Amino acid sequence: MSNKIIIITAPSGAGKTTIVKKLLSELPQLSFSISATTRTARENEVHGRDYYFLSLDDFHQKIDDNAFAEYEMVYAGKYYGTLKTELQRIWDKEKVPMVDIDVKGALSIKEKYHTGVLTIFIAPPTLDTLRVRLSERGTETQASLEERLGKARYELSFSHEFDEIVVNDDLETAYTAVKKLVTGFLGQ
Ligand SMILES: Nc1ncnc2c1ncn2[C@@H]1O[C@H](COP(=O)(O)OP(=O)(O)OP(=O)(O)O)[C@@H](O)[C@H]1O
Ligand SMILES: Nc1nc2c(ncn2[C@@H]2O[C@H](COP(=O)(O)O)[C@@H](O)[C@H]2O)c(=O)[nH]1
């Protein structure tokens, strides 16, 4: 298999992680690209499964070593990045990295790797829906929720830069649309 990459991006709360998890459970050709981050682990998150949780010093060292395919300061002064070694680890298994990252990071990878990259933007039906979903997920403080919603307005203006846009209103409908795009890209 050639070195393909699938990127799913969206404003926080649009549902990309929900869709990505289901794709990973149904398509064994895919493997989750584990990002590095300087944010602290949430309850139930495991180092090396959900993220590589790094100290700020370690993250800076990897920036200096040019170890990232892309990285961004995404929220609350915390860095998130896709390690080149992570993409290679997945390609070495003859699988396709499933990359779940923010909009700017997605645009960087698209620009850097050009061919063999499928980019899908998951759009929320409305900004109000995002607020409800993030509140009900129960992971955000009032301040972090407002930060994510503020960024969402900006990120939505980049949706046209991606190969495909899928609106996640009804989850099953959105998932079916994304799966069709992914299997088409994988050549099935
Ligand atoms: N179509 C949908 N209808 C209703 N709720 C949904 C739908 N899709 C996802 N959700 C719920 O919305 C919340 C946000 O979804 P999810 O965590 O997948 O978003 P995300 O885009 O990955 O956010 P983040 O970037 O912050 O990780 C979750 O609680 C999820 O169960
Ligand atoms: N640019 C990157 N963005 C990333 C990466 N890994 C995750 N993310 C995005 O960060 C936010 C917040 O995630 P959370 O786990 O704190 O809720 C979310 O939008 C992710 O998609 C990455 O490597 N690079």
Side-chain angles (χ1 to χ4, degrees), residues 11 124-132 149 152-153 156:
T126 63
L127 282 170
D128 281 347
T129 314
L130 273 190
R131 180 182 290 280
V132 171
L149 288 173
R153 289 185 186 86
L156 283 166

Side-chain angles (χ1 to χ4, degrees), residues 10 12 16 35-36 39 42 45 51 70-72 74-75 80-82 100-102 105 137 140 148:
S12 176
K16 60 188 172 304
S35 295
R39 85 151 162 75
R42 295 178 186 140
E45 283 185 329
Y51 280 103
E70 64 73 37
Y71 68 92
E72 296 291 335
V74 181
Y75 295 116
Y80 296 74
T82 307
D100 166 350
I101 60 177
D102 88 322
R137 191 172 70 177
E140 306 310 315
R148 285 170 190 244

Side-chain angles (χ1 to χ4, degrees), residues 10-19 42 51 75 100 122 129-130 133-134 136-140 148 168-172 174:
S12 176
K16 60 188 172 304
T17 306
T18 307
I19 290 171
R42 295 178 186 140
Y51 280 103
Y75 295 116
D100 166 350
I122 307 294
T129 314
L130 273 190
R133 287 185 188 166
L134 282 173
E136 289 181 349
R137 191 172 70 177
T139 52
E140 306 310 315
R148 285 170 190 244
N168 180 18
D169 190 353
D170 172 69
L171 182 58
E172 266 318 301

Side-chain angles (χ1 to χ4, degrees), residues 18 28 38 47 55 64 74 78 83 93 98 126-127 159 164 168 185:
T18 307
T38 58
H47 176 81
S55 67
D64 291 347
V74 181
K78 302 298 179 189
L83 289 161
K93 294 191 294 179
M98 170 55 71
T126 63
L127 282 170
S159 59
E164 307 285 348
N168 180 18
F185 175 74

Side-chain angles (χ1 to χ4, degrees), residues 25-41:
S25 72
E26 293 186 3
L27 299 175
Q29 310 91 314
L30 304 177
S31 180
F32 180 59
S33 169
I34 303 164
S35 295
T37 183
T38 58
R39 85 151 162 75
T40 48

Side-chain angles (χ1 to χ4, degrees), residues 59-89:
F59 203 101
H60 278 150
Q61 185 61 55
K62 289 195 186 298
I63 294 173
D64 291 347
D65 294 343
N66 194 23
F68 287 107
E70 64 73 37
Y71 68 92
E72 296 291 335
M73 193 173 270
V74 181
Y75 295 116
K78 302 298 179 189
Y79 283 111
Y80 296 74
T82 307
L83 289 161
K84 293 176 186 171
T85 49
E86 179 64 9
L87 299 177
Q88 195 58 55
R89 179 184 75 81

